[in-house]
Amino acid sequence: MAHIAVERNRRRQMNEHLRVLRSLMPGSYVKRGDQASIVGGAIELVRELEQLLQRLESQKRRRLFGGGEAPKSVMDGPPLPLQQRHQVNRLELDHSSRPREEIAENRSCLADVEVRLLGFDAMIKILSRRRPRQLIRTIAALEDLQLAILHTNIATIEPTVLYSFNVKIASESLCTAEDIANSVQRILCFIDANTASQA
């Protein structure tokens, strides 16, 4: 009888731990409520977060020690080019002598992209369906475009996800809000095509 009570208590603890684990994970990582799906989703989430952490640590080291080799793209082929603009266009001043805010939107069947640009600071919002490895590939591609990610926010509402990135644009990489929105849309097209080919 004692053995049965111990086993029942162990199962209750296991179920409680799985319930807590599931509540901590974005819903898109758990397709079903069974134990295997919860643990598998947790493994996928942890691996994705580990890759993101390694990438951010690498970026931090490059900033601290200066220079180093350029980051490698997660995409095959060269990084997506941004159209070059004269610096005077980026820093065009309004009557109050402040940089003018630019806003651009790019909508497609894959995602809605909005970019707000003020001087060399930008906020990028992406609303799309969640896809495997989408976050890590998007971050890597943004870095390839010389956009230093300062802050990231993620909100999921099944089956969609909203990514918000605050970025700093390298002073030598001059572009408009529209340039960034178009490039982000091309990144998402690449990720979608790559995901479909691997399915």
Side-chain angles (χ1 to χ4, degrees):
M1 294 299 288
H3 175 72
I4 294 172
V6 168
E7 181 63 20
R8 185 179 298 135
N9 188 44
R10 188 192 67 77
R11 286 183 185 168
R12 187 177 340 131
Q13 286 181 333
M14 179 65 77
N15 288 335
E16 179 62 20
H17 290 320
L18 286 168
R19 188 187 64 72
V20 171
L21 181 61
R22 183 177 185 180
S23 71
L24 294 172
M25 295 165 51
S28 56
Y29 283 90
V30 183
K31 304 301 181 196
R32 297 182 307 275
D34 62 283
Q35 293 179 0
S37 294
I38 294 170
V39 173
I43 291 169
E44 181 186 347
L45 176 61
V46 168
R47 284 179 177 161
E48 199 165 311
L49 291 174
E50 282 178 339
Q51 290 176 345
L52 176 59
L53 179 62
Q54 289 171 1
R55 185 146 189 99
L56 292 174
E57 286 175 345
S58 173
Q59 181 183 5
K60 183 179 177 182
R61 281 194 299 272
R62 284 197 306 271
R63 284 185 186 158
L64 287 175
F65 301 112
E69 64 178 20
K72 294 181 180 177
S73 173
V74 295
M75 300 183 285
D76 298 326
L80 296 171
L82 291 172
Q83 297 173 0
Q84 298 299 308
R85 299 288 293 254
H86 295 293
Q87 189 165 1
V88 70
N89 290 342
R90 162 61 62 74
L91 296 175
E92 183 178 346
L93 302 178
D94 61 18
H95 298 298
S96 63
S97 297
R98 294 183 189 157
R100 189 184 54 157
E101 182 180 44
E102 290 182 55
I103 301 173
E105 292 183 349
N106 189 318
R107 300 180 188 277
S108 76
C109 60
L110 290 177
D112 293 343
V113 178
E114 178 187 285
V115 176
R116 293 178 174 269
L117 180 64
L118 182 64
F120 293 100
D121 296 308
M123 172 171 269
I124 302 169
K125 291 185 178 180
I126 304 168
L127 179 65
S128 70
R129 292 182 69 88
R130 189 182 172 280
R131 290 167 178 78
R133 300 179 51 79
Q134 182 179 43
L135 176 60
I136 192 74
R137 289 175 175 173
T138 301
I139 288 174
L142 291 175
E143 289 178 349
D144 285 343
L145 296 173
Q146 304 301 309
L147 303 176
I149 298 171
L150 306 176
H151 180 75
T152 303
N153 189 38
I154 305 165
T156 56
I157 305 170
E158 287 301 328
T160 61
V161 61
L162 174 64
Y163 299 117
S164 298
F165 300 100
N166 288 348
V167 302
K168 177 74 77 175
I169 300 169
S171 57
E172 67 274 9
S173 178
L174 302 172
C175 55
T176 65
E178 186 176 357
D179 294 334
I180 297 171
N182 291 340
S183 292
V184 169
Q185 196 66 253
R186 290 197 305 270
I187 289 167
L188 296 171
C189 287
F190 177 89
I191 292 171
D192 182 68
N194 197 30
T195 302
S197 68
Q198 293 176 356

